[in-house]
Amino acid sequence: MSTDPIRWDRRDDGIVVITFDDPTQQVNTISARFQDAFHAVVDRLVAERDEITGVVLASAKKTWVVGADLVEFRESMERGESLGEALDGFKADLRRLETLGRPVVAAINGTALGGGFEIALACHHRIAVDDPSVRIGLPEVKLGLLPAGGGVTRLVRLLGLQAALTEHLLVGAEHRVAAAKEKGLVDEVVPDAEALMPAAIAWIGAHPDAVARWDAPGYKMPGGTPSNPKLAMILPSFGANLLKQTNGAPAPGPRAILSAAVEGAQVDLETASAIETRYMESLLRGATARNMLQAFFFDLQYCKGGGGRPVRADGTPYPERRPTKVAVIGAGMMGAGIAYVTARAGIDVVLKDVDHAAAEKGLAHCRSIEEKKVARGRTTQEKADALLARIHPTGDVADLAGCDLVVEAVFESPELKDKVFRELEPVVAPDALLGSNTSTLPITGLATSVQRPEAFIGLHFFSPVEKMPLLEIIRGEKTDDETLARALDYAAAIRMTPIIVNDSRGFYTSRVFGRYITEALTMLSEGIAPAVVEQAGRRAGYPAPPLQLMDELNLKTVQRIMHESARAEEPGMATPPEALRLIDAMVDELQRPGRQAGAGFYEYVDGKRAGLWPGLREHVPAGPTPGVLEPAPDLQELADRFLFLQAIETQRCVDEGVIQSDAEANIGAIFGIGFPAWTGGPRQFLANHPDGPDAVRQRTVELEERHGARFHLVTAARS
């Protein structure tokens, strides 16, 4: 059996079908073997050109080509090898294919992302199957990289600078086929895979002299080149918008993409391609790309692949067990969201609240989600109706009979949760998995409410559930391995990314998240202006600044968590009392509990933020006197306080055994609590800091000397 990743077949009509089908991999990736085989194929096409009437690039797998082999890619980076030569060789082969003098068609039967789509861009015509599972695009920016296989160069020539940058390259969008057709990424859509080859052959027959659009006589770049006065007028806004989006946080990937696109648009294709390679090599020399690649591919793959799933004592896996009927207790926003994602996975849900009317409100929330999706064309009314029919609202505990999984999502009160579980346990299936959606209450304590504590586990969802991809699974002292395996199976069924943590007050995510908000309150109590505190959060790269985030969460919730955490904190690491006093004043004295009440750190008009509340400065220490020149706060110092304090808390969680893998620590922080993506997560931030490991130690010493023992870093060793 051949191990060649590419097959060659020439039809009687002279059309050569090149089929990607690597027998050593489940999907086709652009590995070194693939590139060698592709080079040989192009050599043969050139040599036999006179006997060929056209070329079709196809795939024998469910996907087309999903991009670079990132395992090989990382190994090459770790060895310090320059990828420029390999990149240039691959791009030269794509250019030879593109200029073969014969029509070349990409017959896309499955997902084509990154380098895979760059191959398709070098074809004269792209046909895709209308399959909802197919994704097409150039997502490299999400890994801190740029599409260096000709993606920047060709997409700019295909769509023009503005569309290529704003709709694709800078956002890393992965489009469904219909959207890809609408945006010009593909030229033709067919209903199924059987229609692909006939459509490709027909197009070749109708276009025997096809060439790339940018190689055709009289070609003009859509929207013009940067020398075009109309484009030149708006060109500065691209950089300004990028600066606004990043707020000064490290963003070498987007900046390199912008530079490569603008510079490449002013020169010929070959020179533009060389510029693209140069910027890619500059990214690979930096820490950000390495960090993001580690987090968003390798760490994410570990978590999604069930890397922490336990096995039996004999080494065999526990059988996969998907729940068939789930009880969700509490029909508020959180419970309704849990019911929604469960029903979305095709699982029946009993949504219980104190009475049927309260449960119906939860169903109404789910209905509103589907109504919006139908209106936007993201689902059909038939599918929406089927999803909602799987959610059964009730106020009667007897309706929980037969449920093999419980997710309790009531108010954070140990007494209330105790009452709920004592009431439902005799009713649900005898072997039901018993889960509590709590963000801070220790699971071991809650498990005393049930007869089977070994079947009790924490299932911490994040709000809004339908948009947040993370599920923090908390193992109590008596939780057994089979229960943990079943919880992971539930996460997989509802397409959530799980992390596993051991029991602790605040678990992992809430502990680390708390450091972000308490440090912001501490800064305010030091007299730092609220606007500066917010800007420091943006500067560090957080998706939302801290005061805005607290308003969204509700300050009463923040207050409760802060006081619970303060009681459990060890001396020297405790939250500064000034921060506690400030949150108490906001909630109890000033009656400004957040956005929902229309008053928090921000003011609100018709539910929309209308700027920071001016009265806040009256209740915190005064800052610089107006008209008196004083040194402005060091934004980088403030940003570092956020980043390092959360990374240090993560290290403490590792040292205490709360979280046991770097992958889960990184993914949990990024996906659950918004730790800046450019860092690769708190573990990666310490291990691969842009300024090196010595700078980490030096910086934490400086922060500890200036701001206290909470910045003391015992060790930055990897787990």
Side-chain angles (χ1 to χ4, degrees), residues 460-490:
H460 178 203
F461 289 83
F462 296 78
S463 183
V465 180
E466 64 274 11
K467 294 181 180 179
M468 296 293 283
L470 191 75
L471 176 59
E472 185 177 30
I473 299 176
I474 306 101
R475 183 172 190 161
E477 288 181 7
K478 295 186 178 181
T479 306
D480 64 21
D481 283 350
E482 184 176 5
T483 296
L484 177 57
R486 289 176 64 184
L488 288 167
D489 292 342
Y490 173 55

Side-chain angles (χ1 to χ4, degrees), residues 427-449:
V427 179
V428 298
D431 64 344
L433 184 68
L434 306 173
S436 176
N437 173 57
T438 175
S439 59
T440 58
L441 298 175
I443 294 301
T444 301
L446 295 178
T448 60
S449 302

Side-chain angles (χ1 to χ4, degrees), residues 95 98 106 108 117-127 136-138 150-165 167-169 175 179-188 203 211-216 219-225 261 264-265 267 269 272 276:
R95 186 61 175 154
E98 187 174 51
I108 303 172
F117 185 57
E118 287 177 299
I119 295 173
L121 282 173
C123 298
H124 305 131
H125 192 66
R126 289 169 291 283
I127 308 174
I136 293 172
L138 298 170
V152 175
T153 299
R154 288 190 174 87
L155 202 64
V156 166
R157 282 159 174 74
L158 179 67
L159 305 177
L161 261 174
Q162 186 169 9
L165 285 168
E167 297 179 20
H168 306 284
L169 296 170
H175 301 285
K181 171 68 165 61
E182 181 183 344
K183 292 178 180 296
L185 300 183
V186 298
D187 304 301
E188 185 178 347
W203 192 88
V211 297
R213 297 169 205 187
W214 36 89
D215 290 326
Y219 164 79
K220 291 184 178 180
M221 188 177 294
T225 67
V267 295
L269 188 139
E276 188 184 84

Side-chain angles (χ1 to χ4, degrees), residues 553-587:
L553 287 172
N554 187 307
L555 299 189
K556 290 182 180 179
T557 301
V558 172
Q559 179 190 38
R560 176 179 51 78
I561 293 172
M562 283 179 62
H563 279 282
E564 288 175 354
S565 299
R567 286 193 291 270
E569 284 173 341
E570 61 188 60
M573 295 302 298
T575 300
E578 296 82 2
L580 293 171
R581 282 195 290 270
L582 179 55
I583 197 70
D584 287 343
M586 288 292 294
V587 174

Side-chain angles (χ1 to χ4, degrees), residues 33 283 312 332 536 568:
R33 289 176 57 255
L283 291 175
R312 292 189 174 111

Side-chain angles (χ1 to χ4, degrees), residues 213-533:
R213 297 169 205 187
W214 36 89
D215 290 326
Y219 164 79
K220 291 184 178 180
M221 188 177 294
T225 67
S227 62
N228 181 295
K230 290 184 179 180
L231 182 59
M233 286 180 63
I234 64 170
L235 202 56
S237 68
F238 293 178
N241 287 335
L242 181 58
L243 185 62
K244 181 179 179 181
Q245 291 168 12
T246 60
N247 290 294
R255 291 189 175 95
I257 288 172
L258 179 58
S259 298
V262 174
E263 293 175 27
Q266 302 175 70
V267 295
D268 61 88
L269 188 139
E270 282 73 17
T271 305
S273 181
I275 291 171
E276 188 184 84
T277 300
R278 185 187 73 207
Y279 276 108
M280 180 64 157
E281 288 191 298
S282 73
L283 291 175
L284 297 178
R285 288 192 294 269
T288 300
R290 296 170 187 266
N291 289 342
M292 294 182 72
L293 180 62
Q294 176 65 42
F296 291 97
F297 182 76
F298 293 101
D299 290 349
L300 189 56
Q301 191 176 57
Y302 173 89
C303 295
K304 284 188 171 181
R309 196 177 195 273
V311 296
R312 292 189 174 111
D314 62 3
T316 59
Y318 287 96
E320 183 178 344
R321 187 170 172 183
R322 175 189 171 111
T324 58
K325 185 179 180 183
V326 175
V328 177
I329 315 301
M333 291 287 286
M334 183 65 77
I338 296 169
Y340 175 80
V341 298
T342 304
R344 187 176 62 186
I347 303 170
D348 282 337
V349 183
V350 180
L351 180 60
K352 182 188 179 302
D353 211 303
V354 291
D355 54 38
H356 192 274
E360 279 286 354
K361 291 180 181 178
L363 179 59
H365 174 71
C366 300
R367 186 177 294 111
S368 69
I369 296 173
E370 283 298 285
E371 287 173 350
K372 291 175 184 176
K373 289 178 65 177
V374 170
R376 294 168 183 168
R378 294 177 57 193
T379 190
T380 64
Q381 189 62 53
E382 182 181 9
K383 290 179 179 178
D385 291 342
L387 185 157
L388 294 169
R390 289 191 285 271
I391 302 174
H392 311 283
T394 185
D396 188 351
V397 70
D399 290 334
L400 306 184
C403 288
D404 54 359
L405 169 63
V406 173
V407 185
E408 166 271 308
V410 301
F411 182 70
E412 288 282 88
S413 162
E415 294 76 20
L416 178 57
K417 292 176 186 290
D418 176 88
K419 179 182 177 182
V420 164
F421 278 107
R422 290 185 188 279
E423 181 182 38
L424 68 81
E425 189 176 16
V427 179
V428 298
D431 64 344
L433 184 68
L434 306 173
S436 176
N437 173 57
T438 175
S439 59
T440 58
L441 298 175
I443 294 301
T444 301
L446 295 178
T448 60
S449 302
V450 302
Q451 298 298 312
R452 296 182 298 119
E454 70 279 0
F456 197 93
I457 198 162
L459 299 172
H460 178 203
F461 289 83
F462 296 78
S463 183
V465 180
E466 64 274 11
K467 294 181 180 179
M468 296 293 283
L470 191 75
L471 176 59
E472 185 177 30
I473 299 176
I474 306 101
R475 183 172 190 161
E477 288 181 7
K478 295 186 178 181
T479 306
D480 64 21
D481 283 350
E482 184 176 5
T483 296
L484 177 57
R486 289 176 64 184
L488 288 167
D489 292 342
Y490 173 55
I494 61 176
R495 298 189 294 278
M496 289 281 188
T497 300
I499 64 168
I500 303 167
V501 307
N502 289 317
D503 200 12
S504 164
R505 181 169 290 278
F507 316 130
Y508 168 63
T509 55
S510 294
R511 275 181 64 172
V512 176
F513 172 72
R515 292 299 179 184
Y516 180 48
I517 58 177
T518 57
E519 195 62 15
L521 294 169
T522 302
M523 290 175 184
L524 287 179
S525 70
E526 293 170 0
I528 296 170
V532 175
V533 174

